[in-house]
Amino acid sequence: MKASKIFSKTQKTDPSGEISTNAKLLMKAGFIDKLGAGIYTYLPLSLRVIRKIEKIIRSELNRIDAEELLMPALNPKSNWEKTGRWNVPEMYKIADEEYGLGWTHEEIITPLAKKFLNSEKDFPKSLYQVQTKYRNEPRAKSGILRGREFIMNDMYSFHLTEEDLDTYYEKVKEAYLKIYERCGLKDYTYFTLADGGAFTKGFSHEFQTLTEAGEDVIYICKKCKLALNKEVEHKKCPSCGEEDFEERKAIEVGNIFKLGTKYSEAFDFKINDKNVIMGCYGIGVSRLLGTIVEVFNDEKGIIFPKEVAPYDIYLVDIKGGEKSEQLYKALEYKGYDVIFDDRDKTPGEKFSDADLIGIPIRIIISEKTLKEDSVEVKKRGEEKSVLVKIKEITKYLEKC
Ligand code: ATP
Ligand code: MG
């Protein structure tokens, strides 16, 4: 993509009135536009990141035999009345309160599953979607970490026995850890025991990513690294008995629950006279983008991990002429997603945009580098650059 053709533009100053780092950086760099408190447009740059996150999620969930569907966000009131969750603060009610906008989807998936899962051989089953959710959040001040409209990946599983749910729950836990790892967050994300909520016997489990921007406080066991949400009563680590914990702020990037039979009872979903047992699992997709920005940034801008960066390479042209255009085409042909900065701007302005947008690799091609048949390559977040011969560039990039 030529920088001159990118729809959004970077701003020189921070947006006014924003307190959170993710909102400041994402707005300044042209990734999101704010329509209202907690309501954002994902501009082309951020949609590329979101699509990459979604691709990672789909590949890991498909691997554990989950199947993707897409349910309506517009939900009839009657479904929610069956579970007593119509009159909750999260629910946006519309059309004379005949409909609500889905803030989670147990009320839709349970009667749906009942239609198609009719006998023992249809179990176990796991279904997921990537969908826009609506929640009337009172505190929508954390940029895309807490939207009133946001993208969630929610999954629901159906089982005939507790043991079967336990086995699947473990698989989801591993899949989630893999997803956060592939998003570059492995070293920051902790499997965390949390309150089970009104209908869960034991704990629920959260995936918490360390950052000062986090609204949650977790205690990390100094011995085995299991984390506990502050809201959970504890004296000792329930896993290893250790009594020493480290207190940290974190963002909840995912949450998994054993639902038991709460929803199958409400919708009378039974097989052989026994209520079906359910699990539910959720990842905040747009919150993950905000989290990545909170974790990976410096005074110059965002530093995207390469797996989720909107583009792989930022190619800065400084009077390289024909040769620059050739290199741009060659890199794209090799499969790299490249921003080719062809704009009539100073080199300094181009460098600062490359840093602000956070593209993992910057390549400069100029009259000077071309004298040596080379380009200058620098990784975002590193100071030193390397001169690489043009004919060796793709080999060099493979190792980056
Ligand atoms: P929180 O405690 O942060 O309000 P939650 O526990 O209500 O979140 P869940 O119902 O568990 O959220 O939703 C699953 C996931 O969706 C969460 O782990 C989080 O990553 C994401 N999420 C929840 N609410 C929002 C929101 N308002 N904006 C963006 N992402 C959200
Ligand atoms: Mg939660």
Side-chain angles (χ1 to χ4, degrees):
M1 173 62 100
K2 290 191 170 166
S4 59
K5 300 268 188 279
I6 291 179
F7 173 61
S8 61
K9 294 188 173 52
T10 55
Q11 307 295 325
K12 290 234 155 48
T13 52
D14 283 355
S16 65
E18 294 301 326
I19 24 184
S20 68
T21 301
N22 75 90
K24 274 190 211 160
L25 283 174
L26 287 168
M27 286 166 81
K28 198 175 171 193
F31 282 71
I32 57 171
D33 179 71
K34 186 174 181 175
L35 185 61
I39 318 173
Y40 295 91
T41 294
Y42 302 105
L43 295 167
L45 282 177
S46 72
L47 195 59
R48 294 179 73 94
V49 181
I50 284 171
R51 294 287 181 249
K52 287 192 176 176
I53 296 171
E54 290 174 357
K55 194 171 170 200
I56 292 171
I57 292 175
R58 289 189 169 98
S59 80
E60 293 302 329
L61 297 185
N62 293 346
R63 222 193 279 277
I64 54 169
D65 297 327
E67 215 181 347
E68 183 172 5
L69 48 55
L70 183 60
M71 290 178 274
L74 190 60
N75 294 179
K77 176 184 181 175
S78 54
N79 286 57
W80 292 85
E81 282 181 331
K82 288 208 173 66
T83 58
R85 294 208 292 181
W86 175 247
N87 288 314
V88 296
E90 288 92 336
M91 181 68 89
Y92 279 114
K93 298 174 182 176
I94 55 173
D96 284 337
E97 300 207 1
E98 281 310 309
Y99 295 91
L101 297 177
W103 54 276
T104 179
H105 271 73
E106 287 83 358
E107 277 78 353
I108 309 302
I109 197 125
T110 312
L112 178 72
K114 185 181 167 180
K115 279 188 195 160
F116 294 101
L117 306 178
N118 315 116
S119 71
E120 278 180 31
K121 66 174 177 13
D122 295 327
F123 290 82
K125 185 70 207 168
S126 183
L127 297 158
Y128 73 91
Q129 62 178 348
V130 179
Q131 198 212 27
T132 300
K133 294 274 188 279
Y134 299 86
R135 288 188 186 184
N136 196 351
E137 296 276 2
R139 301 167 290 146
K141 293 199 185 77
S142 315
I144 59 169
L145 295 180
R146 187 171 295 287
R148 292 192 164 127
E149 173 174 321
F150 61 97
I151 304 169
M152 197 205 280
N153 159 237
D154 46 331
M155 181 161 86
Y156 307 87
S157 70
F158 302 88
H159 309 267
L160 297 177
T161 64
E162 299 273 353
E163 300 75 60
D164 195 50
L165 169 61
D166 292 349
T167 310
Y168 194 70
Y169 196 83
E170 267 311 299
K171 284 191 192 174
V172 178
K173 173 190 162 183
E174 293 307 322
Y176 269 38
L177 289 171
K178 193 83 203 164
I179 289 165
Y180 301 118
E181 177 182 341
R182 289 178 62 184
C183 288
L185 293 169
K186 181 175 188 216
D187 296 340
Y188 303 85
T189 304
Y190 285 79
F191 181 67
T192 307
L193 298 189
D195 191 22
F199 40 84
T200 311
K201 269 176 250 138
F203 296 112
S204 85
H205 298 93
E206 294 171 345
F207 296 82
Q208 293 275 2
T209 302
L210 302 184
T211 146
E212 279 304 303
E215 290 179 7
D216 287 8
V217 172
I218 62 168
Y219 294 104
I220 304 166
C221 168
K222 289 211 170 154
K223 201 162 151 203
C224 76
K225 302 290 171 203
L226 178 71
L228 297 111
N229 194 306
K230 192 180 181 186
E231 68 193 4
V232 177
E233 296 285 317
H234 74 282
K235 285 201 181 68
K236 285 188 199 168
C237 172
S239 175
C240 72
E242 174 69 36
E243 290 178 23
D244 209 4
F245 293 91
E246 187 190 354
E247 183 182 310
R248 297 292 295 269
K249 280 186 165 179
I251 299 176
E252 180 193 318
V253 289
N255 200 183
I256 61 178
F257 287 87
K258 292 181 185 173
L259 294 174
T261 56
K262 176 180 160 95
Y263 295 95
S264 60
E265 280 170 36
F267 290 94
D268 193 29
F269 182 15
K270 286 185 173 142
I271 298 290
N272 299 338
D273 275 340
K274 274 174 67 186
N275 280 114
V276 168
I277 298 162
M278 290 172 58
C280 80
Y281 319 87
I283 295 180
V285 176
S286 45
R287 181 179 284 189
L288 257 180
L289 165 59
T291 304
I292 288 165
V293 173
E294 292 286 349
V295 173
F296 302 109
N297 69 73
D298 62 13
E299 66 291 345
K300 293 176 181 157
I302 306 167
I303 309 173
F304 276 107
K306 67 175 181 185
E307 300 81 354
V308 292
Y311 287 88
D312 306 310
I313 296 168
Y314 197 103
L315 179 60
V316 179
D317 173 34
I318 308 171
K319 298 203 190 109
E322 189 87 328
K323 282 261 166 41
S324 305
E325 189 90 23
Q326 274 170 15
L327 177 63
Y328 167 51
K329 296 229 167 86
L331 290 170
E332 290 241 298
Y333 184 76
K334 280 278 173 193
Y336 292 104
D337 288 332
V338 183
I339 293 182
F340 176 42
D341 200 341
D342 59 335
R343 296 172 306 169
D344 188 16
K345 299 239 178 203
T346 65
E349 284 172 310
K350 294 183 181 186
F351 300 157
S352 78
D353 276 355
D355 285 344
L356 177 60
I357 296 172
I359 307 302
I361 292 169
R362 186 188 78 188
I363 300 181
I364 302 172
I365 180 162
S366 67
E367 278 173 318
K368 203 173 109 201
T369 66
L370 282 171
K371 281 202 185 109
E372 312 212 23
D373 295 318
S374 298
V375 291
E376 197 185 301
V377 185
K378 188 181 91 65
K379 286 191 192 159
R380 178 72 178 90
E382 285 182 11
E383 282 308 314
K384 65 171 185 5
S385 57
V386 201
L387 215 56
V388 180
K389 293 277 180 226
I390 292 182
K391 62 178 188 329
E392 283 158 18
I393 187 71
T394 52
K395 209 176 249 158
Y396 183 86
L397 290 172
E398 275 165 27
K399 286 184 274 146
C400 279

